[in-house]
Amino acid sequence: MPPASTRICERTLCIRFIVTRSTVVFLHANGFPSGSYRQFLEALGRHAEVIAPPALETPPGMRPRLRWPEMTRQAIVEVRRVAERAGPVCLVGHSMGGYLSLMAAARLPSHVRGIVLIDSPLVAGWRKSVFETLRITGLSSRGGPAPIAARRRDRWASRELAHEYFSAKAFVRDWAPGVLEDFLAHGLAAGQDGTMSLRIAREAERDIYAHLPAHRAYAAFQALRARGIAVHMIAGTRSRETELAGRAINRRLFGGNWHELPTGHLVPMEQPLASAELVARCIGAADDGPRADALGPIRSGSSDEPAGPTPAFLSEPAGRTS
């Protein structure tokens, strides 16, 4: 926990220690508004105050290369807003949200105490050069996840048909019970005629994949480490994204701040409670964890204890993203 402040009780001449909770700003992955993480965020809310923008929005028709700068701007605004009220925050980001966390923190280092990336592998070494060449030449739009996102189905005649469609997907079958229902509630938008569509437009998803600023995320990671700001990484042991980026080189980069859970890329969807417990330990907010002001290397752990009250932000409907 952060250092306790003290208050003098004049009548009894005792010193009362007032322990303040860690404050977490959570940034979601591409295509998954924050409400999709309800179970994970509720569990994390047992250990810290959790603030999560419902969705990082980019306007329809925005130039593809401008989506990342716009989302980074939104992340910076959110971090500054929360830190000015609560003091330096811990940034937690999943996939896309992890890269945004790094870039926002590099711009506001005095507002950040530490960062936890959830399967947001850094592209380093020879892979960084290859990745940059593909991005600059536009070839990243023709291969990998970008064209897949552009072709994905984005409309269904009813919520029931959307549930049937997603429940048949192999990656969804790995999710914890109830997570699909949260995704349908927050990741889809209902039309007036009862049809359902993706809340985050598939064109936006495509552009985000095609223009991933791997070089900026890596530079931000190095700058933060140089300033002594700890960055933890929680990777899924079966994550293809981490394998493609280079599991071995990422493990070396993070050293003692590298952690793994037995999941694929969608770590908080597959193991929401274990993920929340491990994040809490990384930021020092778990009951048996280290002090949050250190944010140093820890041993990975998990918990199946029930979550506490629903964080306030989850009581509000998610905002539109397309």
Side-chain angles (χ1 to χ4, degrees):
M1 292 184 178
S5 60
T6 60
R7 178 180 298 168
I8 302 296
C9 306
E10 295 181 357
R11 185 168 297 179
T12 59
L13 296 178
C14 68
I15 298 178
R16 178 182 302 161
F17 287 86
I18 304 165
V19 180
T20 57
R21 302 182 83 199
S22 299
T23 300
V24 167
V25 174
F26 174 77
L27 302 176
H28 62 79
N30 189 13
F32 292 92
S34 293
S36 307
Y37 299 82
R38 179 186 62 82
Q39 294 187 37
F40 164 73
L41 294 174
E42 282 185 0
L44 184 57
R46 293 177 53 237
H47 303 285
E49 178 188 13
V50 180
I51 308 295
L56 297 163
E57 305 178 71
T58 56
M62 171 173 271
R63 289 177 57 190
R65 294 179 184 275
L66 297 181
R67 294 196 191 274
W68 277 97
E70 169 58 19
M71 292 188 299
T72 304
R73 182 194 67 79
Q74 292 177 35
I76 290 170
V77 169
E78 187 69 10
V79 171
R80 182 181 287 118
R81 181 187 69 81
V82 176
E84 287 176 352
R85 171 184 62 81
V89 302
C90 297
L91 278 170
V92 178
H94 177 215
S95 192
M96 174 191 83
Y99 304 125
L100 290 171
S101 295
L102 287 172
M103 293 185 291
R107 293 281 298 275
L108 297 171
S110 63
H111 290 59
V112 176
R113 291 198 299 107
I115 302 165
V116 182
L117 310 179
I118 304 178
D119 217 73
S120 305
L122 298 174
V123 183
W126 62 267
R127 290 179 176 85
K128 184 153 66 78
S129 300
V130 172
F131 191 92
E132 276 304 288
T133 299
L134 294 174
R135 188 182 67 85
I136 292 171
T137 59
L139 293 175
S140 58
S141 300
R142 303 175 192 174
I148 296 174
R151 296 191 303 267
R152 70 179 294 193
R153 184 173 176 180
D154 64 345
R155 295 184 184 278
W156 296 266
S158 67
R159 189 183 188 281
E160 291 71 25
L161 289 175
H163 186 281
E164 180 181 340
Y165 173 82
F166 282 105
S167 61
K169 296 293 184 181
F171 70 92
V172 173
R173 289 198 292 268
D174 290 332
W175 291 0
V179 173
L180 174 56
E181 285 66 30
D182 292 331
F183 171 73
L184 294 175
H186 296 272
L188 302 184
Q192 293 184 346
D193 57 355
T195 60
M196 306 295 293
S197 60
L198 293 176
R199 192 175 293 274
I200 296 178
R202 62 185 181 182
E203 292 77 16
E205 286 191 51
R206 174 203 61 201
D207 296 344
I208 289 165
Y209 284 128
H211 296 280
L212 176 69
H215 60 304
R216 291 186 185 140
Y218 183 79
F221 170 76
Q222 297 285 49
L224 291 165
R225 285 216 308 188
R227 295 183 67 101
I229 298 175
V231 183
H232 287 259
M233 168 69 161
I234 300 173
T237 56
R238 302 188 308 274
S239 170
R240 288 179 294 177
E241 286 76 1
T242 294
E243 294 299 335
L244 287 172
R247 186 179 298 273
I249 193 169
N250 271 268
R251 187 182 287 113
R252 289 195 298 272
L253 281 171
F254 286 94
N257 289 346
W258 172 269
H259 319 279
E260 292 184 336
L261 286 173
T263 69
H265 177 60
L266 298 175
V267 182
M269 282 70 175
E270 295 184 36
Q271 292 204 16
L273 303 187
S275 300
E277 183 68 19
L278 183 49
V279 168
R281 290 172 62 82
C282 288
I283 66 174
D287 292 340
D288 57 344
R291 290 180 60 86
D293 51 357
L295 282 160
I298 63 171
R299 293 174 61 104
S300 299
S302 63
S303 172
D304 292 324
E305 295 179 25
T310 302
F313 72 89
L314 284 176
S315 301
E316 302 297 327
R320 293 187 60 84
T321 61
S322 61

